[in-house]
Amino acid sequence: MRKYTCVLTTTLISLFLYGSLLTAAPGDIQYTREGGDPEKLKSFPPSIFPHWIHRLNYRCDACHNTIFEMKTGTTTINKDIMKEGKTCAVCHNGTDAFDDGFANCNRCHLLEEQ
């Protein structure tokens, strides 16, 4: 019985932690989507930038004010700009960090917490 309880507790904690990584956390930035077909936008979640995890590894001036302005919403970010190697794709190029390709959509386009 004791072993069963320990396994169950560990499983529940693991599921909670994994689930929390799939949604926005305090300090994350969720970008609003503009333009395009509203019905298609409903089926594909907006991107969420995990500011806190980047901040653990980099100082503010690694991105601000060279790649991104300091104020949220002042730098336009979209797939066309990223294809040019700008904004997120400066680092997310497959060399410095995971690339911004189709296989990695769900790393930024996360489901919102309900």
Side-chain angles (χ1 to χ4, degrees), residues 9 12 15 29 31 40 43 53 64 66-67 69 74 76 90 93 96 103 109-110:
T9 302
L12 290 174
L15 288 173
I29 300 168
Y31 292 95
K40 287 183 181 177
S43 66
I53 197 75
H64 298 290
T66 53
I67 302 170
E69 294 298 321
T74 56
T76 300
V90 168
N93 53 26
D96 299 321
H109 293 276
L110 306 173

XYZ file of all heavy atoms in Angstrom, residues 9 12 15 29 31 40 43 53 64 66-67 69 74 76 90 93 96 103 109-110:
160
model
N 1.413 9.447 -5.795
C 1.782 10.821 -5.453
C 2.806 11.368 -6.448
O 2.669 12.486 -6.944
C 2.340 10.890 -4.015
O 1.354 10.380 -3.123
C 2.703 12.305 -3.640
N 1.089 12.079 -9.827
C 0.254 13.284 -9.792
C 1.097 14.556 -9.791
O 0.780 15.523 -10.490
C -0.674 13.251 -8.576
C -1.787 12.207 -8.631
C -2.548 12.169 -7.315
C -2.716 12.478 -9.791
N 2.505 15.021 -13.333
C 1.485 15.510 -14.263
C 1.183 16.981 -14.028
O 1.006 17.747 -14.969
C 0.207 14.676 -14.132
C 0.286 13.263 -14.677
C -0.987 12.493 -14.326
C 0.510 13.279 -16.177
N 4.755 36.378 -21.408
C 4.092 37.381 -22.237
C 3.304 36.657 -23.311
O 3.863 35.882 -24.079
C 5.121 38.326 -22.884
C 5.913 39.048 -21.805
C 4.431 39.309 -23.831
C 7.134 39.774 -22.315
N 1.242 37.011 -26.676
C 1.064 37.941 -27.783
C -0.325 37.792 -28.370
O -0.803 36.685 -28.579
C 2.119 37.694 -28.865
C 3.491 38.063 -28.380
C 4.337 37.108 -27.846
C 3.918 39.371 -28.415
C 5.588 37.453 -27.365
C 5.164 39.733 -27.941
C 5.996 38.768 -27.423
O 7.223 39.119 -26.945
N -9.684 30.642 -38.291
C -8.416 29.907 -38.264
C -7.611 30.280 -37.018
O -6.922 29.446 -36.452
C -7.603 30.193 -39.526
C -8.169 29.529 -40.754
C -7.296 29.783 -41.953
C -7.883 29.128 -43.183
N -7.096 29.401 -44.385
N -8.343 28.192 -33.926
C -7.833 26.820 -33.860
C -6.331 26.747 -33.607
O -5.800 25.665 -33.394
C -8.174 26.076 -35.155
O -7.483 26.659 -36.243
N 12.187 32.066 -18.147
C 13.215 31.074 -18.469
C 14.353 31.713 -19.260
O 15.515 31.375 -19.085
C 12.627 29.840 -19.192
C 13.597 28.667 -19.149
C 12.277 30.128 -20.619
C 13.680 27.996 -17.824
N 17.189 43.310 -25.302
C 16.678 44.689 -25.246
C 17.839 45.668 -25.315
O 18.822 45.511 -24.624
C 15.915 44.921 -23.935
C 14.711 44.047 -23.754
N 13.569 44.183 -24.489
C 14.489 43.022 -22.904
C 12.695 43.278 -24.092
N 13.227 42.555 -23.137
N 18.186 45.834 -28.628
C 18.729 45.527 -29.943
C 17.727 44.739 -30.786
O 17.416 45.138 -31.906
C 20.038 44.725 -29.813
O 19.813 43.584 -28.981
C 21.140 45.567 -29.193
N 17.227 43.635 -30.267
C 16.271 42.806 -31.006
C 14.843 43.248 -30.705
O 14.004 43.339 -31.600
C 16.449 41.319 -30.637
C 17.873 40.867 -30.936
C 15.444 40.454 -31.375
C 18.222 39.491 -30.394
N 12.249 46.039 -28.425
C 12.117 47.231 -27.600
C 11.773 46.780 -26.184
O 11.270 45.676 -25.976
C 11.019 48.146 -28.149
C 11.346 48.741 -29.502
C 12.575 49.631 -29.473
O 12.773 50.382 -28.502
O 13.364 49.554 -30.429
N 5.624 46.738 -28.655
C 6.184 47.733 -29.574
C 6.983 47.102 -30.709
O 7.239 47.756 -31.711
C 7.067 48.747 -28.828
O 8.084 48.042 -28.122
C 6.255 49.577 -27.855
N 6.982 44.351 -33.643
C 6.114 43.469 -34.405
C 6.791 42.112 -34.549
O 7.962 42.017 -34.897
C 5.847 44.053 -35.805
O 5.220 45.320 -35.654
C 4.958 43.137 -36.627
N 16.469 35.307 -34.365
C 17.882 35.676 -34.199
C 18.589 34.568 -33.412
O 19.697 34.154 -33.760
C 18.029 37.048 -33.483
C 19.455 37.306 -33.059
C 17.511 38.169 -34.372
N 17.335 29.606 -34.324
C 17.761 29.346 -35.692
C 18.214 27.903 -35.896
O 18.744 27.560 -36.946
C 18.881 30.307 -36.067
C 20.020 30.270 -35.065
O 20.240 29.278 -34.386
N 20.747 31.365 -34.973
N 21.754 28.186 -32.198
C 21.823 28.752 -30.845
C 20.716 28.212 -29.947
O 20.904 28.037 -28.752
C 21.737 30.278 -30.899
C 22.888 30.881 -31.692
O 24.013 30.379 -31.565
O 22.641 31.844 -32.447
N 8.012 21.889 -36.872
C 8.066 20.836 -35.846
C 8.060 21.394 -34.425
O 7.811 20.658 -33.474
C 9.306 19.971 -36.046
N 3.412 28.255 -29.225
C 1.959 28.395 -29.351
C 1.310 27.421 -28.384
O 0.966 26.291 -28.746
C 1.523 28.156 -30.791
C 2.013 29.203 -31.717
N 1.354 30.394 -31.898
C 3.134 29.265 -32.486
C 2.033 31.141 -32.757
N 3.116 30.481 -33.127
N 1.158 27.872 -27.155
C 0.663 27.028 -26.063
C -0.819 27.254 -25.824
O -1.328 28.356 -26.037
C 1.420 27.351 -24.779
C 2.940 27.290 -24.860
C 3.546 27.789 -23.569
C 3.387 25.883 -25.158
